[in-house]
Amino acid sequence: MRTARLFFIALALFSLSAQAQWAGPSTQRAGKWETNFGLYLTSSESSDGLNESSVDIDSGYGFGFGVGYNFTQHLALRFDGAWSRADYDAILDTEDEGLVEINHRLSAFTGQFNGVWNILEGPFTPYLQAGIGWTFLDSNVTDGPPTTGCWWDPWWGYICSGFYSTYNETNFSYNVGAGLRYEFGRGMFVRGGWERTAIDGGSGADPEFDAFRAEIGWLF
């Protein structure tokens, strides 16, 4: 969290001092759509829940993508998605066995509708964002016996396989973020930034985590 705060403060100070130097000629992102993809890295996080339950999530990695529309040179609306995986240790309060410790790997997908303010009009600009959406968390821990399904294959005949259901949930989440963006010729751009996402767990555990994006995109 300290690193994220320092990054945000430094970015805000830099954006104020850079306006005159980097304003430059205006690019034509206003009225255009854009799409992007790239790396997505998450920080470690710990959260305590009800009845001594808790979860400790290691830093993780994955990929991010997005699509958006630029209403003006400054204002844009985007949908940003990200998939990531991370190892975790959890203590769960169960009805039959009491407190149970789990060590596994978490899969997560986050989708957010973000309002973005590009501070400068030129090809280089810091940006600020805020948005709401949802986060899907999959513990990858089975919640019961497998379900067996069978189907006919024209080459191999009948094939049967087991499918496992896992403990998972989808929760409301929201974020704030900041970053830097630079637009090249031919509609290409790169951007990188930090975002802080908070998840409404609904059970006393409301984890928050920092994430960092490094992405390449195109205007069209």
Side-chain angles (χ1 to χ4, degrees):
M1 183 62 180
R2 181 182 179 185
T3 301
R5 288 177 178 174
L6 292 175
F7 176 83
F8 183 81
I9 293 172
L11 181 60
L13 293 175
F14 176 75
S15 65
L16 292 176
S17 64
Q19 288 195 37
Q21 180 179 358
W22 291 88
S26 176
T27 59
Q28 297 301 316
R29 59 177 170 266
K32 292 186 177 181
W33 290 87
E34 64 182 49
T35 185
N36 57 269
F37 69 94
L39 297 177
Y40 183 78
L41 306 176
T42 59
S43 66
S44 59
E45 175 59 28
S46 298
S47 180
D48 295 326
L50 300 177
N51 301 324
E52 301 184 32
S53 62
S54 64
V55 60
D56 295 311
I57 305 173
D58 294 339
S59 57
Y61 62 91
F63 65 89
F65 65 91
V67 62
Y69 182 77
N70 295 279
F71 294 97
T72 69
Q73 292 293 102
H74 296 286
L75 298 178
L77 178 64
R78 297 177 48 87
F79 174 80
D80 290 302
W83 175 89
S84 62
R85 302 190 72 181
D87 294 330
Y88 71 93
D89 299 319
I91 298 177
L92 304 180
D93 181 26
T94 65
E95 294 183 1
D96 298 330
E97 303 179 44
L99 295 177
V100 176
E101 184 175 354
I102 296 176
N103 309 103
H104 220 287
R105 176 166 291 183
L106 178 74
S107 299
F109 177 83
T110 295
Q112 302 277 308
F113 290 95
N114 290 317
V116 180
W117 176 40
N118 294 305
I119 298 175
L120 306 180
E121 291 190 358
F124 169 83
T125 178
Y127 67 85
L128 303 175
Q129 73 175 42
I132 59 174
W134 73 95
T135 298
F136 170 79
L137 300 174
D138 188 346
S139 69
N140 291 312
V141 176
T142 58
D143 61 1
T147 300
T148 301
C150 298
W151 64 94
W152 171 258
D153 185 277
W155 294 98
W156 305 103
Y158 278 105
I159 298 176
C160 296
S161 179
F163 300 91
Y164 290 87
S165 175
T166 60
Y167 291 101
N168 62 77
E169 60 182 15
T170 301
N171 296 312
F172 171 79
S173 61
Y174 54 93
N175 82 92
V176 294
L180 300 173
R181 171 185 174 119
Y182 184 78
E183 297 170 9
F184 301 93
R186 301 181 182 275
M188 181 181 293
F189 67 89
V190 292
R191 71 175 198 141
W194 156 84
E195 56 196 55
R196 179 74 170 177
T197 300
I199 302 173
D200 183 6
S203 60
D206 300 319
E208 300 180 4
F209 63 91
D210 296 315
F212 299 88
R213 293 177 181 263
E215 298 175 318
I216 184 171
W218 293 266
L219 292 161
F220 58 93

